[in-house]
């Protein structure tokens, strides 16, 4: 069965890009389960940054969505998008222009005003840095420091969930479960309520892994996407999660936002 390639949406911003990404994710939900891959390009402050984004789209394909308030950068991106026939969406421009006319006032054109550098902002940055550092079992010492620990086999949305929750100021470590390697002892010593197990239907995972192999240009019949191998991995993961006694969420037909909402609700009621 043919599976559609994910459409890449480059979110370009002169700040962190969270606003643009949130809008794109909300829009993409209307087309679920058609895959949409979001590539965030934050802190674009010069023409060189615009060129990198355009070159990336020309190489890999996709569309560009942007929240640029500096007119020169916005105009440069639009000019190059038109030049290379790249679909583009200006999220802030029309709103700012219309508000300016209604208010009879020129906009300040100052980047980053949506996200002031206050305590909340720095907590979010700290959580994002934490998620990156302790992603996919890179450093198990993060298990003791995390607000949430995610467990699951490969391609159960551990990394996207970690980043999404980090933007909610939660420090997340995620641990891959692989039959050939016993998980770190620390997951048996932290409170089980902080641990979230991620389960997925084997057929669904098979499709996701085949798509991943295809994206990487590898053979779809590799062991990584073998149904029997997948069942072995999932059985191993179930045994580990049962031993811990942690809550388990099935991510088979859930968007990242939906699973994250369930996790946050669980954490709030601990």
């Amino acid at each position: 069965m043919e599976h559609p390639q994910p459409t890449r949406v480059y979110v370009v911003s002169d700040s962190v890009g969270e606003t643009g990404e949130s809008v794109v994710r909300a829009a993409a939900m209307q087309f679920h389960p058609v895959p949409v891959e979001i590539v965030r390009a934050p802190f674009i402050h010069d023409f060189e940054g615009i060129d990198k984004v355009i070159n990336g789209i020309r190489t890999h394909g996709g569309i560009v969505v942007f929240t640029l308030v500096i007119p020169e950068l916005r105009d440069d991106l639009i000019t190059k998008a038109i030049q290379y026939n790249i679909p583009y969406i200006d999220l802030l421009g029309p709103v700012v222009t219309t508000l300016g006319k209604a208010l009879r006032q020129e906009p300040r054109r100052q980047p980053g005003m949506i996200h002031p550098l206050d305590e909340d902002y720095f907590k979010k940055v700290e959580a994002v840095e934490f998620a990156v550092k302790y992603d996919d079992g890179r450093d198990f010492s993060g298990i003791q420091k995390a607000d949430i620990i995610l467990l699951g086999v490969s391609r159960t949305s551990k990394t996207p969930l970690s980043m999404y929750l980090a933007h909610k100021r939660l420090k997340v470590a995620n641990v891959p479960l692989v039959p050939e390697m016993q998980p770190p002892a620390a997951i048996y010593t932290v409170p089980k309520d902080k641990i979230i197990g991620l389960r997925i239907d084997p057929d669904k995972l098979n499709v996701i892994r085949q798509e991943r192999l295809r994206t990487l240009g590898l053979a779809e019949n590799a062991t990584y996407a073998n149904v029997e191998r997948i069942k072995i991995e999932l059985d191993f993961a179930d045994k580990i999660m049962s031993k811990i006694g942690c809550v388990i969420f099935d991510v088979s037909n859930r968007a990242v936002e939906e699973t994250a909402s369930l996790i946050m609700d669980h954490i709030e009621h601990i």
Side-chain angles (χ1 to χ4, degrees):
M1 186 174 88
E2 289 291 326
H3 302 289
Q5 292 283 346
T7 297
R8 288 192 175 189
V9 180
Y10 290 75
V11 177
V12 180
S13 174
D14 38 32
S15 186
V16 293
E18 186 179 72
T19 300
E21 181 172 351
S22 296
V23 172
V24 172
R25 286 195 182 281
M29 286 294 294
Q30 300 300 317
F31 304 94
H32 183 75
V34 177
V36 174
E37 179 184 356
I38 297 176
V39 180
R40 195 191 292 193
F43 303 113
I44 300 296
H45 295 144
D46 52 38
F47 298 121
E48 183 182 355
I50 298 292
D51 287 337
K52 284 184 178 180
V53 172
I54 294 295
N55 290 335
I57 301 175
R58 293 180 66 194
T59 300
H60 302 289
I63 69 176
V64 61
V65 173
F66 58 93
T67 56
L68 298 170
V69 298
I70 300 174
E72 292 79 9
L73 293 181
R74 187 185 68 241
D75 293 345
D76 184 60
L77 191 153
I78 292 174
T79 299
K80 287 168 182 171
I82 294 172
Q83 179 183 351
Y84 296 111
N85 199 28
I86 297 169
Y88 68 90
I89 301 170
D90 180 1
L91 287 181
L92 285 184
V95 179
V96 171
T97 299
T98 302
L99 273 176
K101 290 178 179 178
L103 299 172
R104 297 181 182 180
Q105 183 175 328
E106 281 295 309
R108 294 169 65 178
R109 308 290 184 189
Q110 183 178 337
M113 294 185 69
I114 298 174
H115 303 284
L117 300 181
D118 55 13
E119 183 181 358
D120 184 69
Y121 174 83
F122 286 111
K123 282 183 178 179
K124 186 181 298 183
V125 170
E126 184 181 3
V128 170
E129 291 176 345
F130 187 96
V132 172
K133 182 175 182 179
Y134 300 110
D135 179 46
D136 207 30
R138 291 178 187 172
D139 185 347
F140 290 136
S141 66
I143 292 173
Q144 299 288 356
K145 310 169 190 174
D147 299 316
I148 300 171
I149 301 100
L150 301 178
L151 301 180
V153 302
S154 175
R155 311 311 291 179
T156 48
S157 302
K158 296 189 300 299
T159 298
L161 276 169
S162 296
M163 296 307 298
Y164 187 94
L165 292 167
H167 281 87
K168 303 298 181 182
R169 299 169 299 284
L170 291 167
K171 294 181 180 178
V172 185
N174 75 71
V175 178
L177 296 178
V178 185
E180 291 75 19
M181 182 177 67
Q182 286 299 312
I187 66 170
Y188 300 110
T189 62
V190 297
K192 67 178 183 180
D193 287 336
K194 293 173 58 175
I195 301 177
I196 306 294
L198 303 175
R199 180 180 285 149
I200 190 170
D201 176 78
D203 293 330
K204 177 75 173 178
L205 183 56
N206 174 249
V207 171
I208 292 172
R209 288 191 176 182
Q210 284 184 342
E211 182 60 45
R212 176 61 174 166
L213 290 172
R214 191 182 299 114
T215 301
L216 295 173
L218 302 174
E220 294 176 34
N221 60 354
T223 303
Y224 180 68
N226 178 275
V227 174
E228 292 307 313
R229 166 65 187 187
I230 286 173
K231 289 179 179 177
I232 291 172
E233 289 186 35
L234 293 175
D235 182 62
F236 174 77
D238 277 344
K239 288 177 180 176
I240 296 296
M241 291 185 281
S242 295
K243 183 177 179 181
I244 295 170
C246 61
V247 66
I248 300 173
F249 293 120
D250 192 317
V251 300
S252 302
N253 296 300
R254 286 196 172 106
V256 168
E257 294 87 348
E258 187 179 356
T259 306
S261 178
L262 291 173
I263 291 172
M264 289 187 291
D265 185 63
H266 167 73
I267 294 297
E268 287 176 4
H269 290 86
I270 293 177

